[in-house]
Amino acid sequence: MDSSLSENIKYLRVQNGLNQVDLAKRLNVTKQCVSNWENDNVLPSVSMLNQIADFFGVSTDRLLGREAGERLDLSGLSDEQITHIRLLVKDLRAANRK
């Protein structure tokens, strides 16, 4: 996901199994707003951009295509659990290099 804002919104929506109506309801906007964002007709406001990023659990930079990589919400996990996740990611990266 390192494309335009419109492509990233659509990508995240589809990845989360939502149609435009579902996303619109979750963000308290109209389906037409979502359609306009995805078709690059209108840009969301700064506050809506933050809401979209929060909803999908990504940074605004990621949403705007300025930051690569996925983000995981690790809140509520213990330090030990977070350490395990980091080790798992490290092992998976090493396995992909082989």
Side-chain angles (χ1 to χ4, degrees):
M1 188 175 87
D2 56 358
S3 312
S4 69
L5 173 61
S6 59
E7 292 170 324
N8 289 337
I9 291 172
K10 183 174 183 175
Y11 171 83
L12 288 166
R13 176 180 60 75
V14 171
Q15 285 298 111
N16 283 273
L18 301 170
N19 61 36
Q20 289 183 342
V21 172
D22 295 331
L23 180 58
K25 286 179 183 176
R26 301 272 182 95
L27 296 173
N28 201 28
V29 297
T30 65
K31 184 241 181 225
Q32 189 64 37
C33 281
V34 175
S35 177
N36 280 328
W37 299 334
E38 291 184 1
N39 290 307
D40 221 5
N41 295 328
V42 176
L43 293 173
S45 67
V46 172
S47 64
M48 182 53 66
L49 185 68
N50 284 322
Q51 280 184 270
I52 297 167
D54 288 346
F55 177 78
F56 288 118
V58 298
S59 69
T60 53
D61 278 349
R62 178 85 169 129
L63 197 57
L64 292 167
R66 298 172 45 111
E67 175 186 287
E70 294 290 326
R71 300 187 110 205
L72 296 174
D73 180 6
L74 303 178
S75 59
L77 299 179
S78 69
D79 289 341
E80 182 180 358
Q81 290 169 322
I82 292 170
T83 299
H84 285 289
I85 290 171
R86 286 187 176 136
L87 290 171
L88 177 62
V89 169
K90 182 180 175 185
D91 289 346
L92 291 170
R93 283 187 186 139
N96 285 338
R97 287 189 212 125
K98 293 179 182 178

